[in-house]
Amino acid sequence: METLKAAIPNELKQSIRDSSNVEDTLRDTCSSLHQFFLHFQPFHQVVTELADPSYALCGKSKEASLEYKQLGNQCFFDADYVKALDYYTQALRRAPFEVGDMKTNLVATLYINRAIVLHKMNLLVECLRDCNRALQICPSYAKAWYRRGKANVSLGNNRDAICDLNIAKSVESSTGGKRQVESELKIILDQSKGTNIVVQPQYKENSLSTVGEMPQIKLRSVSTPDKGRGMVPSHDVSPGSLVHAEEPYATIILKQCRETHCHYCFNDLPADRVPCISCSIPLYCSQQCQIKAGGEMFRISTEDSNILKNLPGDIGKYAAEVIQYNDCEQKIDDVTEHKHECQGVHWPAVLPSEIVLAGRVVAKFLSKSSSGDIASFVENLELSHCYEHMPFESKLDSHIYAIVLLYCLKHSYGTMFSIDGISISQVVIVISQIKVNCMTVVRLKSIDAHGLSDQSGGFTFHSSVHLTSNVEQVRVGKAIYKAGSLFNHSCQPNVHAYFLSRTLYLRTTKVVAAGCQLELSYGPQVGLWDCKDRQNFLKDEYAFHCQCAGCSEVNLSDIVINAFRCVKPNCSGAVLESRVLECEKQKIKYFPIPNKVIKNDDIYEVCLHTFNQNDASINIQPGYCLKCGSYSDLESSRTTVDKALICIKRLQDAIQSKDISNTSISDALRSLHLLRSNLHAYNKVIAEAEDNIAQAFCLVGELQLSVDHCKASIQILEKLYDPDDIVIAYELVKLSSVQLSLGDDSAVDSISRIGAIFSRYYGLHADLVFPYLQYLRREI
């Protein structure tokens, strides 16, 4: 793309730079750039390499699949089952689905090879699912029935195992194979004497269904001059109320999660991940997701399915239920999100995620009304956009990507639509709509130093002497939620957004009065960053200047989060640098000054001197204490802090490498003392340093010291955030896990508090969002 960008004439770049009125100028600049590219040979080469199947790097390849299969075989013989599992999965990813001789079908063979590895790894349910997939391709595959029977034996499902092995004996053509099956059958029958065979296949594909909690709050859309459209409740809403649930209009997985999360539902990929039938890009957690994403499913040949007719009554019924995929009757959307990308071409893997997402939005138009009015389609999306406010580089990129994307889509849809200034300009608008309306889909994950691991979307618990757990928020995808985009932003939100699979849920965290706007955080919020950093981020990412309560009214967090301490030993006042001060000065000017200061109010404790000034033009200067007015040398303090942070960074690196020495901890403790001597007591840097030291002490087995420093970190964060904020619950997870390892009775209080906060933020979904919560509850 840089080659294309560099070749664009300066006068055309200037026109794009100056384009502001979408209706009048965007169509002209798009048309001009398109005409330039039509006569620029490198552009055609770029499109050919991205969209021509003959250049495909993401298509199916039998040769590549057989190479991975051979590598998997070698690892299996070497008993390296982890590598064998990966190689067989890569072989499946590249194996073409052929409808020739089912008995030698490469895909079915690979599923059984992987099933054997899964059995060796004691992943029995996954093994069973792979057997089912092989049988859905080739119902007469004796080895698949035999392996399924062996898996059912290991699972204790002897009745199903007998059915499987009886079918294996019926379809096995070799005498030696029949003898082996009969031997296995005899052992199981001897163990199962006196029991009746119950025809009930087990362990079908995973379901996308979640807890059936639905919003009960009636909402309405409003429009205000300062915030535009927004959503308000019709009556008062209590904390923890589910106010909105919505499936996405369009989604895309982020590139860094392509190998770890399902490309459709965004859940963690299991060991028996399912590839796309037609290309090698996506991986899915189940055939259900694969079908919903691509609209394609295995087709069993009529001739091969006749095996069912030759089996006796109950056994025939059993075989039919196994091979007739239980989700085949599910409704498939008219426009599947991946089908237009699924031709082996690699533009979906190369272009930025948000551009591929734009392609999925435009594909809905092309699939249903390619000869219609694309401008009406884009207008009917009813999504705001920020094209007029985008910086020049973003405008130029959106022009280039819109043209390239349309040519890539044309390879999928043929000559069904024309590419001109109108269509290109509308795709530019879609790209800008995505920029301001797209939500990042986030997963919570427990990252543990010792005893707990997240496997295949579930959790495996182990006993451990020293257990510590950290909560990580993993960004897995981007999605457009048309109704969800109507909710406005606040840096002090009253609504919490979370995701189960692809579904967006919004739940209140505070009392919201009837008619007051329901507001969520678009990313930054009070406690995370200071006001200036939040406003800069929102301006860059969403093209608006935030004037929410958190950015227009004084709050303790914004004053102290990056503040220095006063030079007077007993003064609790905050000392601000000029960058922070300029932003806070405007808010302090309009802060209500009560007749009598509340002694225990933290906000007055850090800036009492400022509030006592009655002058309209408050005299606040960088380096002067907001409480007593004393001056501090911030340049000297900043130098000391920077040196201290070098040691803290070394400790962080040691924690990551699990190579912590006494020296690194001692240096960090000395640095912590320097930080406390120079920074305000509520400065977030101190909280982060305390947290790092707590982790280090936990890893070296000094659990009580770990608890002490973890509590010190939480005490600061409770000043920066609301004490019942979900961030505090995440920190309490760390504290409680160490307290449990220490046998500390106060773990009960920590876990109870975690449960209360999670219930407010996630309601009935708390255990689904964060399964580790179940473990904590069991421990008390």
Side-chain angles (χ1 to χ4, degrees):
M1 296 301 168
E2 291 302 318
T3 301
L4 301 182
K5 188 185 295 187
I8 299 172
N10 288 332
E11 56 270 25
L12 182 50
K13 287 183 179 179
Q14 189 61 45
S15 298
I16 294 172
R17 185 192 303 273
D18 296 339
S19 62
S20 57
N21 189 311
V22 173
E23 294 297 327
D24 293 341
T25 60
L26 180 56
R27 187 181 306 173
D28 293 337
T29 55
C30 289
S31 180
S32 298
L33 184 59
H34 181 218
Q35 289 300 315
F36 171 77
F37 280 155
L38 286 177
H39 299 91
F40 186 55
Q41 182 55 37
F43 166 77
H44 296 282
Q45 183 63 30
V46 166
V47 172
T48 299
E49 291 175 358
L50 287 173
D52 190 334
S54 63
Y55 282 79
L57 299 178
C58 301
K60 298 292 189 178
S61 168
K62 189 171 184 178
E63 293 74 18
S65 179
L66 289 172
E67 288 179 11
Y68 278 109
K69 177 176 179 284
Q70 183 58 40
L71 290 170
N73 291 345
Q74 185 59 55
C75 289
F76 179 80
F77 292 136
D78 294 339
D80 189 346
Y81 300 127
V82 173
K83 282 188 178 179
L85 177 67
D86 180 60
Y87 283 132
Y88 285 141
T89 298
Q90 295 305 324
L92 275 166
R93 205 171 186 176
R94 289 158 180 80
F97 185 80
E98 298 168 337
V99 294
D101 184 0
M102 289 292 106
K103 292 184 179 180
T104 58
N105 184 279
L106 177 58
V107 175
T109 301
L110 287 168
Y111 272 125
I112 291 305
N113 283 10
R114 193 172 71 173
I116 295 171
V117 172
L118 291 166
H119 201 160
K120 290 284 188 181
M121 298 174 71
N122 205 36
L123 297 171
L124 302 177
V125 174
E126 292 85 347
C127 169
L128 206 64
R129 290 198 296 247
D130 264 3
C131 292
N132 292 348
R133 291 160 188 152
L135 291 168
Q136 287 153 18
I137 300 169
C138 180
S140 61
Y141 194 1
K143 189 175 181 180
W145 285 112
Y146 175 77
R147 179 53 53 186
R148 193 176 195 278
K150 295 281 285 182
N152 269 320
V153 169
S154 297
L155 284 164
N157 300 329
N158 284 359
R159 295 170 182 175
D160 287 350
I162 291 170
C163 292
D164 294 331
L165 294 175
N166 272 316
I167 300 170
K169 186 174 69 170
S170 298
V171 298
E172 176 59 57
S173 58
S174 70
T175 304
K178 284 183 181 291
R179 286 201 198 100
Q180 184 179 4
V181 175
E182 288 170 350
S183 175
E184 293 285 346
L185 259 174
K186 185 177 184 306
I187 295 172
I188 301 170
L189 286 169
D190 289 342
Q191 295 173 348
S192 308
K193 283 181 180 178
T195 61
N196 295 321
I197 296 176
V198 179
V199 181
Q200 188 179 358
Q202 303 288 323
Y203 304 106
K204 295 183 178 181
E205 289 281 351
N206 298 327
S207 171
L208 290 178
S209 63
T210 57
V211 174
E213 185 183 5
M214 296 300 296
Q216 303 296 322
I217 311 299
K218 186 176 181 180
L219 306 180
R220 59 187 176 89
S221 177
V222 297
S223 182
T224 60
D226 56 333
K227 290 192 173 185
R229 296 182 301 174
M231 299 295 285
V232 300
S234 57
H235 57 80
D236 294 353
V237 183
S238 59
S241 299
L242 184 64
V243 294
H244 185 67
E246 183 181 2
E247 293 299 314
Y249 181 76
T251 67
I252 189 70
I253 194 167
L254 296 180
K255 289 185 177 182
Q256 66 267 25
C257 293
R258 285 177 178 172
E259 303 298 316
T260 57
H261 290 76
C262 176
H263 287 225
Y264 182 78
C265 72
F266 299 143
N267 289 330
D268 289 348
L269 285 171
D272 62 323
R273 51 203 64 184
V274 177
C276 175
I277 288 179
S278 301
C279 76
S280 62
I281 298 176
L283 290 168
Y284 303 102
C285 66
S286 65
Q287 281 176 264
Q288 183 183 12
C289 284
Q290 179 262 315
I291 292 169
K292 281 183 171 289
E296 295 183 90
M297 60 183 71
F298 295 140
R299 299 293 180 187
I300 303 170
S301 65
T302 305
E303 179 181 350
D304 199 64
S305 63
N306 286 336
I307 180 64
L308 303 178
K309 299 178 181 179
N310 300 324
L311 296 172
D314 284 348
I315 298 298
K317 182 181 178 182
Y318 175 90
E321 291 186 17
V322 169
I323 70 171
Q324 290 173 359
Y325 176 48
N326 59 292
D327 286 312
C328 282
E329 296 181 357
Q330 67 184 338
K331 183 181 182 298
I332 300 173
D333 294 340
D334 294 334
V335 183
T336 54
E337 62 187 22
H338 174 61
K339 191 171 184 178
H340 65 280
E341 306 162 355
C342 195
Q343 300 174 355
V345 296
H346 61 282
W347 65 264
V350 173
L351 295 181
S353 296
E354 58 270 23
I355 303 303
V356 181
L357 180 59
R360 292 186 170 186
V361 172
V362 176
K364 292 177 179 289
F365 164 75
L366 297 176
S367 298
K368 292 184 177 180
S369 56
S370 57
S371 59
D373 182 4
I374 188 172
S376 296
F377 168 79
V378 174
E379 183 179 355
N380 289 335
L381 290 175
E382 296 184 328
L383 298 172
S384 60
H385 68 83
C386 61
Y387 178 79
E388 296 94 333
H389 306 290
M390 287 167 61
F392 163 66
E393 285 295 326
S394 295
K395 287 183 178 180
L396 183 60
D397 287 344
S398 64
H399 276 67
I400 297 171
Y401 279 124
I403 297 172
V404 170
L405 178 61
L406 280 172
Y407 272 90
C408 290
L409 291 171
K410 191 165 187 175
H411 274 267
S412 297
Y413 291 97
T415 57
M416 294 171 60
F417 67 95
S418 60
I419 300 177
D420 53 26
I422 296 175
S423 59
I424 297 168
S425 66
Q426 294 306 306
V427 176
V428 169
I429 292 175
V430 169
I431 293 172
S432 66
Q433 286 175 328
I434 287 173
K435 181 176 176 62
V436 296
N437 293 283
C438 191
M439 288 189 177
T440 300
V441 180
V442 175
R443 285 281 179 274
L444 290 187
K445 187 172 184 179
S446 178
I447 307 298
D448 298 287
H450 297 281
L452 177 65
S453 60
D454 182 356
Q455 295 183 347
S456 308
F459 283 78
T460 301
F461 299 102
H462 309 279
S463 61
S464 174
V465 177
H466 308 312
L467 171 64
T468 179
S469 177
N470 298 322
V471 181
E472 179 184 353
Q473 296 190 67
V474 182
R475 298 156 64 94
V476 296
K478 289 184 175 293
I480 294 292
Y481 297 91
K482 292 177 70 175
S485 67
L486 296 175
F487 290 80
N488 277 316
H489 164 83
S490 173
C491 295
Q492 290 180 319
N494 55 23
V495 167
H496 177 62
Y498 64 94
F499 304 87
L500 287 175
S501 184
R502 298 154 55 97
T503 308
L504 166 69
Y505 292 93
L506 299 179
R507 194 178 293 273
T508 55
T509 58
K510 305 173 183 176
V511 174
V512 182
C516 291
Q517 288 215 19
L518 295 162
E519 297 173 321
L520 51 85
S521 171
Y522 290 1
Q525 65 183 70
V526 172
L528 181 66
W529 296 339
D530 67 25
C531 182
K532 191 68 174 177
D533 286 341
R534 294 196 309 270
Q535 289 185 329
N536 288 341
F537 173 86
L538 292 166
K539 185 73 172 177
D540 292 342
E541 292 295 316
Y542 299 101
F544 73 89
H545 179 72
C546 186
Q547 294 179 304
C548 72
C551 293
S552 58
E553 299 174 7
V554 169
N555 62 78
L556 175 68
S557 181
D558 282 349
I559 293 176
V560 300
I561 190 170
N562 290 314
F564 290 83
R565 70 172 298 162
C566 179
V567 291
K568 287 189 175 181
N570 297 321
C571 180
S572 59
V575 181
L576 304 184
E577 293 179 295
S578 58
R579 184 190 69 85
V580 178
L581 190 61
E582 289 305 310
C583 185
E584 293 305 310
K585 186 184 293 187
Q586 298 303 314
K587 295 195 289 184
I588 291 174
K589 185 181 295 186
Y590 300 105
F591 190 89
I593 303 175
N595 294 327
K596 186 176 180 181
V597 174
I598 302 172
K599 290 184 178 180
N600 294 326
D601 196 327
D602 289 318
I603 189 76
Y604 291 100
E605 280 298 304
V606 300
C607 47
L608 178 62
H609 178 72
T610 300
F611 294 148
N612 282 340
Q613 296 184 59
N614 296 319
D615 196 301
S617 57
I618 297 172
N619 182 29
I620 308 174
Q621 297 296 327
Y624 286 88
C625 177
L626 299 181
K627 183 177 182 181
C628 71
S630 299
Y631 176 75
S632 300
D633 182 358
L634 292 189
E635 184 175 349
S636 174
S637 295
R638 170 53 62 192
T639 301
T640 301
V641 168
D642 288 343
K643 289 180 179 178
L645 289 177
I646 293 173
C647 291
I648 300 297
K649 178 62 170 64
R650 286 180 190 149
L651 183 64
Q652 285 180 315
D653 295 340
I655 292 170
Q656 289 293 323
S657 63
K658 302 291 192 298
D659 182 21
I660 302 170
S661 65
N662 290 333
T663 301
S664 61
I665 294 179
S666 298
D667 289 346
L669 288 171
R670 282 192 291 271
S671 296
L672 176 63
H673 175 72
L674 291 174
L675 293 177
R676 286 194 172 277
S677 300
N678 288 271
L679 299 178
H680 192 273
Y682 302 156
N683 189 301
K684 196 171 186 178
V685 170
I686 298 176
E688 292 168 348
E690 293 277 15
D691 180 65
N692 282 306
I693 293 171
Q695 290 184 59
F697 273 130
C698 183
L699 289 171
V700 299
E702 294 286 353
L703 299 189
Q704 186 56 59
L705 290 172
S706 177
V707 166
D708 294 342
H709 285 279
C710 191
K711 286 181 176 179
S713 176
I714 292 173
Q715 286 171 359
I716 297 173
L717 295 178
E718 287 174 333
K719 298 294 185 181
L720 302 179
Y721 296 90
D722 185 289
D724 292 326
D725 194 281
I726 191 64
V727 171
I728 304 301
Y730 298 157
E731 297 303 312
L732 287 169
V733 169
K734 302 178 189 178
L735 175 62
S736 62
S737 62
V738 183
Q739 287 172 328
L740 286 172
S741 297
L742 191 60
D744 187 343
D745 291 341
S746 58
V748 175
D749 295 332
S750 298
I751 294 170
S752 296
R753 192 174 167 196
I754 293 168
I757 297 174
F758 265 84
S759 293
R760 172 177 290 195
Y761 277 77
Y762 298 107
L764 296 179
H765 298 148
D767 288 346
L768 289 172
V769 172
F770 192 55
Y772 184 71
L773 194 58
Q774 302 172 52
Y775 167 77
L776 291 177
R777 289 197 184 106
R778 285 203 300 269
E779 290 299 298
I780 61 171

